[in-house]
Amino acid sequence: MDRDPEAQVIMATEALNPHIPQAGNTPAAHESNAAAAQPGRVYTCPMHPEIRQDQPGNCPKCGMTLEPVLPAVDEDENKELLDFQRRFYWTLPLTGVVFVLAMFGHRLALFDRGTQNWIELAVTLPVVLWAGWPFFVRGAQSIVHRSPNMWTLIGLGTGSAFIYSVVATVAPQVFPASFVSMGHVAVYFEAAAVIISLTLLGQMLEGKARSQTSAAIKSLLGLAPKTARRLADDGTEHDVPLADVHAGDRLRVRPGEKVPVDGVVLEGGSAVDESMLTGEPMPVTKATGDKLIGATLNTSGALVMRADKVGAQTVLAGIVQMVAQAQRSRAPMQRMADQVAGYFVVSVVAISFMTFFAWGIFGPSSAGESSWVYGLINAVAVLIVACPCALGLATPMSIMVATGKAATQGVLFRDAAAIENLRKVDTLIVDKTGTLTEGKPRFDRAVASPGFSEDEVLRLAASLDQGSEHPLAQTIVAAALERKLTLEKAEGFESGTGIGVRGTVGSKVLALGSTALMEQSGVAVGALKDQAEALRAEGASVMALAVDGELAGLLAVSDPVKASTAEALASLKASGLRVIMATGDGLTTAQAIASRLCIDEVHGGVKPADKLALVTQLQGEGRIVAMAGDGINDAPALAKADVGVAMGTGTDVAMNSAQVTLVKGDLRGIAQARIISNETVANMKQNLAFAFVYNALGIPLAAGVLYPFTGWLLSPMIAALAMSLSSVSVIGNALRLRHSGQATGST
């Protein structure tokens, strides 16, 4: 198994950000790597992530501006935001003029009513037709795409008030007498202008707030150094752009510099700070042969490294992709909001028409105002106040902030569903090797049967294990080479997943593995049974070696428990989780480790199918199950579990099967992930509740339902302000997640 930290990279289909160079896979690509480092960007909608295109624009469903899936660390300020700012500030004085004329013109008596109407029309025209033009375009697009949204309401409301006022100014005679008050038809240019200005202000505030949700990805992108110091074959050194670094290059990393790409230490030693990617606060000592992760900080000694993974293959690139993918996924809770929003706009338009006719027919006339004019103003207020944007943003904003925060703490969520489901988990199944333990076994001893020596048992086992990638096999091979034993090539190598391996070395037919493999091979293990049990009781993994159908001996390999495991399990059990160990190791070994870690339920000697069956059984009992593992043999159970949790130090297969990846491979990350899950779901519920309550109160108030009892009416201008602030409030509440609590301990 590949247990490198780099194995946590999960390639996504989207193009990477230009600031993460792409690795060429062919000689031609190798030569033009710098050119390939500028892929096309993909744009999507925060509210509708299924909308994707290769150029900027507006979402055809909600009208929201599409955002890049991966923001650039040094990209210019949002062009739409700059455009809205220009439109807002250039037309704000005009809005002020028309507002003053409408509110105080009759007191100032500067113009007669007809002249004042024409002046208001002239002043309002650029506000509506230039500053508000993007809103009308989006409103029209929503109708064309048959996807009514907030811009439908704003376009209808603002357009109705403006067109009505224009007609009342240009041809007042077309209105019936019921619209005439105090000798003229009232105009509401100030309502149209102020609504547009307030909507622009709201979009500016929302744009600034939304830009903060991508701060986590930008901070990750900013970790990568811009250059690397490459060593040439002649011994010279040159600084080259990161895009020009290729797999196999030798690079020098001086003290205080960042490791440019993923690779292996060739010369030197140092302490490397990996906290920016793993959350681990203590620097990790690195020596020749140790793995290095790109973007981590070399704190002390000088290193020479070999570049192994560059561009999209690095750990950093994989993390960025996973965060971006999770941020753009949809939470199950969003389905309810989508179903409501689908009918919401149509219902609001219907309520608006009902308001207009109800006021026009049954409403009172007061202060010289016609009931039909009241009907028009209240209908516009209903359209403006009932903005579905807050409802649509309620869960996406929480997910974007939460996934970004989690990534900075070494926890990667695959999608929004994982965030929402993790808090419900009541049972956690944990693998042993690489999950509870370090996954770096060390050889303890060999026990020989009569007629064999310990060195011969080790030599034959190591010869057979040369064809295996299992960490236990690699440990046995390393021990044999350390003793300078001569290994032979194995023929007919076969691997039985979870039980051991078979093959022929020289003229001997060998089988190496668990008791189950010995039973399949018809080999009696009784002669060394007591010694095997004694080794297992010490926590060692014991493998039996059979030669030509006879037991030749035992090999014991131990795997130290991670320093953080006991603390992590205690925290998880304290939170109410039922913890179960399921491992392919023998039951005695498993119980020894479980006893040390206070795990009550243990399943030893299980195969991949047994782990899968255990998950299925628990789910059948009504349990919400999480599975934590790191190996290929854990993949079926990880995929079947309600939430699969993969160790970032494990295999690609495990991580591709899981919904959550712990970059450092530290179980304390599950406790942190559960805290994030609880806080995020609570935040989404708060946002949805706010959006529902806002509309439940705002629409009746705008329609004038309370007028007969309190005399309250909602001005369209106040409705526009409330509409804008509702979206900003939802985003602001989501941003609180960036500063929420953390679990004890590092992830």
Side-chain angles (χ1 to χ4, degrees):
M1 296 182 196
D2 182 1
R3 305 223 167 207
D4 299 345
E6 288 84 351
Q8 70 89 39
V9 175
I10 298 176
M11 297 304 295
T13 55
E14 294 91 17
L16 276 172
N17 185 279
H19 296 278
I20 299 181
Q22 303 292 304
N25 295 319
T26 65
H30 185 86
E31 294 300 325
S32 59
N33 198 41
Q38 302 293 329
R41 303 182 74 181
V42 178
Y43 296 81
T44 187
C45 173
M47 288 172 57
H48 299 92
E50 69 276 12
I51 302 298
R52 288 173 178 256
Q53 62 185 48
D54 57 3
Q55 58 187 359
N58 299 324
C59 175
K61 289 189 175 182
C62 66
M64 183 175 288
T65 302
L66 299 180
E67 299 176 348
V69 171
L70 290 174
V73 66
D74 56 355
E75 65 185 351
D76 296 332
E77 191 171 357
N78 187 301
K79 292 183 179 179
E80 182 196 52
L81 179 59
L82 294 174
D83 181 54
F84 281 161
Q85 289 175 336
R86 183 173 65 255
R87 293 173 190 268
F88 174 76
Y89 289 117
W90 274 97
T91 58
L92 183 60
L94 301 180
T95 299
V97 169
V98 73
F99 180 80
V100 170
L101 286 176
M103 296 294 104
F104 309 105
H106 62 288
R107 296 181 184 177
L108 299 175
L110 298 176
F111 314 100
D112 61 72
R113 190 64 194 186
T115 303
Q116 180 172 315
N117 286 356
W118 279 99
I119 294 174
E120 289 184 22
L121 169 59
V123 175
T124 305
L125 205 60
V127 179
V128 174
L129 297 186
W130 180 65
W133 183 251
F135 305 156
F136 294 113
V137 171
R138 295 180 183 187
Q141 289 175 339
S142 71
I143 296 174
V144 171
H145 293 292
R146 297 182 182 179
S147 180
N149 52 53
M150 65 171 287
W151 303 112
T152 314
L153 302 180
I154 292 174
L156 285 174
T158 308
S160 298
F162 181 69
I163 293 173
Y164 161 82
S165 300
V166 170
V167 176
T169 300
V170 176
Q173 66 277 6
V174 304
F175 288 92
S178 58
F179 277 80
V180 179
S181 299
M182 301 178 65
H184 64 274
V185 179
V187 295
Y188 290 92
F189 288 115
E190 82 285 358
V194 171
I195 288 171
I196 286 175
S197 290
L198 288 175
T199 303
L200 283 169
L201 177 61
Q203 290 297 296
M204 288 162 50
L205 295 174
E206 181 181 323
K208 287 182 177 295
R210 276 167 48 194
S211 66
Q212 298 180 45
T213 62
S214 62
I217 288 186
K218 287 186 176 180
S219 66
L220 288 171
L221 291 170
L223 293 176
K226 300 295 186 294
T227 61
R229 191 164 188 82
R230 184 162 60 195
L231 300 179
D233 293 338
D234 60 4
T236 59
E237 303 179 7
H238 302 281
D239 288 330
V240 297
L242 198 62
D244 290 342
V245 176
H246 309 295
D249 285 350
R250 291 191 307 138
L251 308 172
R252 184 179 298 282
V253 187
R254 293 167 292 192
E257 292 183 338
K258 289 184 177 181
V259 177
V261 294
D262 297 357
V264 178
V265 177
L266 297 178
E267 301 174 18
S270 180
V272 177
D273 181 358
E274 299 180 344
S275 61
M276 65 282 293
L277 292 181
T278 66
E280 178 62 47
M282 295 299 295
V284 181
T285 301
K286 300 291 183 180
T288 302
D290 288 338
K291 302 291 184 181
L292 292 172
I293 303 175
T296 55
L297 181 64
N298 180 27
T299 62
S300 53
L303 299 172
V304 174
M305 65 173 292
R306 181 186 70 238
D308 284 347
K309 296 181 179 180
V310 300
Q313 299 175 334
T314 63
V315 168
L316 177 61
I319 291 176
V320 169
Q321 287 289 7
M322 286 192 71
V323 174
Q325 177 182 336
Q327 286 189 340
R328 303 304 179 184
S329 62
R330 299 175 73 78
M333 195 179 295
Q334 182 67 23
R335 295 170 190 158
M336 176 184 66
D338 290 344
Q339 291 172 352
V340 172
Y343 301 99
F344 183 76
V345 175
V346 175
S347 301
V348 168
V349 173
I351 293 172
S352 177
F353 276 105
M354 291 168 58
T355 299
F356 175 73
F357 287 107
W359 272 90
I361 297 172
F362 305 108
S365 297
S366 61
E369 294 289 352
S370 163
S371 62
W372 287 100
V373 173
Y374 273 120
L376 174 66
I377 296 305
N378 290 334
V380 170
V382 168
L383 290 172
I384 299 302
V385 79
C387 171
C389 191
L391 187 63
L393 289 171
T395 66
M397 290 297 105
S398 299
I399 294 298
M400 290 182 72
V401 177
T403 51
K405 173 190 173 182
T408 63
Q409 297 176 6
V411 178
L412 304 180
F413 289 100
R414 179 182 294 278
D415 52 35
I419 297 179
E420 192 169 330
N421 292 334
L422 187 58
R423 58 184 282 274
K424 304 174 186 176
V425 168
D426 56 25
T427 303
L428 173 65
I429 302 173
V430 291
D431 177 42
K432 182 182 78 71
T433 305
T435 302
L436 299 178
T437 63
E438 293 180 359
K440 297 177 181 177
R442 67 170 177 263
F443 180 74
D444 280 348
R445 73 192 77 167
V447 178
S449 297
F452 292 88
S453 67
E454 292 183 4
D455 280 353
E456 181 66 6
V457 170
L458 177 58
R459 187 187 71 80
L460 291 173
S463 297
L464 180 60
D465 266 341
Q466 289 180 101
S468 174
E469 294 183 355
H470 195 282
L472 297 183
Q474 294 175 353
T475 301
I476 290 173
V477 172
L481 294 176
E482 185 177 347
R483 296 188 185 187
K484 299 185 172 148
L485 301 178
T486 303
L487 304 186
E488 300 179 59
K489 182 178 179 181
E491 304 289 344
F493 180 84
E494 295 180 4
S495 176
T497 304
I499 60 173
V501 294
R502 292 186 179 93
T504 301
V505 173
S507 61
K508 298 179 176 66
V509 178
L510 307 182
L512 175 65
S514 65
T515 302
L517 178 63
M518 295 299 105
E519 291 175 353
Q520 282 186 13
S521 305
V523 178
V525 295
L528 298 177
K529 182 177 180 180
D530 291 342
Q531 288 173 277
E533 287 301 306
L535 291 169
R536 292 188 181 107
E538 296 174 4
S541 295
V542 179
M543 291 155 283
L545 174 68
V547 178
D548 295 329
E550 298 293 331
L551 182 65
L554 305 174
L555 296 105
V557 177
S558 63
D559 187 4
V561 174
K562 293 178 182 177
S564 61
T565 297
E567 176 191 340
L569 291 178
S571 174
L572 292 170
K573 291 174 72 174
S575 70
L577 275 183
R578 172 185 175 187
V579 180
I580 302 172
M581 180 198 291
T583 175
D585 283 356
L587 184 58
T588 303
T589 302
Q591 287 176 333
I593 298 295
S595 176
R596 193 183 310 172
L597 296 173
C598 300
I599 299 175
D600 300 324
E601 295 184 61
V602 182
H603 296 263
V606 296
K607 302 175 184 176
D610 298 326
K611 292 183 181 181
L612 177 61
L614 178 60
V615 172
T616 304
Q617 174 191 331
L618 291 168
Q619 290 174 330
E621 296 172 0
R623 293 280 183 170
I624 308 298
V625 182
M627 170 71 194
D630 75 326
I632 294 174
N633 60 330
D634 299 316
L638 288 169
K640 175 63 177 175
D642 296 286
V643 179
V645 181
M647 302 295 107
T649 49
T651 64
D652 289 341
V653 174
M655 283 177 285
N656 283 326
S657 302
Q659 291 81 46
V660 181
T661 298
L662 307 180
V663 175
K664 190 64 177 177
D666 187 335
L667 281 177
R668 287 177 295 182
I670 297 181
Q672 183 61 49
R674 279 169 60 82
I675 290 176
I676 293 173
S677 173
N678 278 303
E679 291 177 343
T680 304
V681 171
N683 192 269
M684 290 191 291
K685 289 180 177 178
Q686 293 165 5
N687 287 345
L688 287 170
F690 176 81
F692 280 123
V693 170
Y694 164 80
N695 284 293
L697 297 177
I699 292 176
L701 182 60
V705 171
L706 298 181
Y707 180 79
F709 311 103
T710 63
W712 292 351
L713 289 175
L714 188 64
S715 163
M717 293 176 284
I718 301 300
L721 180 61
M723 176 268 295
S724 298
L725 291 179
S726 68
S727 297
V728 176
S729 299
V730 164
I731 298 173
N733 187 50
L735 289 173
R736 289 192 308 109
L737 288 171
R738 295 190 302 176
H739 310 292
S740 54
Q742 296 185 14
T744 302
S746 163
T747 59

